[in-house]
Amino acid sequence: MRWVLQSSGKVDQSSRQSIVSWIEEGGKAFVEEPGAPRVEVRVVDPGAGRAMYLQTYADGVKTNNLLHLPHD
């Protein structure tokens, strides 16, 4: 997944699992799209031994706008 570090503008890529781990350790990630509010990315643990995944929450509602982002 591609990401941009807001403070420096650095652009890089990390695996989904790396981003999950980073958020679990206290990191904060957001999705920003022109003309739309910034939305926080959170980690979801579905339990039963299934892999954790990333999901956005816009206005307190679980959304899937991560699926609509370009895959670089």
Side-chain angles (χ1 to χ4, degrees), residues 29-46:
F30 301 89
V31 172
E32 292 185 352
E33 297 181 78
R38 183 171 85 159
V39 180
E40 185 175 359
V41 178
R42 297 186 185 168
V43 175
V44 176
D45 184 351

Side-chain angles (χ1 to χ4, degrees), residues 5-43:
L5 186 60
Q6 289 285 318
S7 61
S8 67
K10 176 184 176 183
V11 177
D12 204 345
Q13 289 191 3
S14 297
S15 70
R16 183 172 287 122
Q17 183 56 48
S18 293
I19 294 173
V20 166
S21 296
W22 180 74
I23 292 172
E24 288 272 288
E25 294 170 5
K28 295 276 186 182
F30 301 89
V31 172
E32 292 185 352
E33 297 181 78
R38 183 171 85 159
V39 180
E40 185 175 359
V41 178
R42 297 186 185 168
V43 175

Side-chain angles (χ1 to χ4, degrees), residues 33-67:
E33 297 181 78
R38 183 171 85 159
V39 180
E40 185 175 359
V41 178
R42 297 186 185 168
V43 175
V44 176
D45 184 351
R50 292 180 283 176
M52 290 189 276
Y53 61 91
L54 301 170
Q55 187 171 45
T56 57
Y57 288 75
D59 298 325
V61 177
K62 296 176 186 176
T63 58
N64 64 355
N65 65 347
L66 289 171
L67 298 175

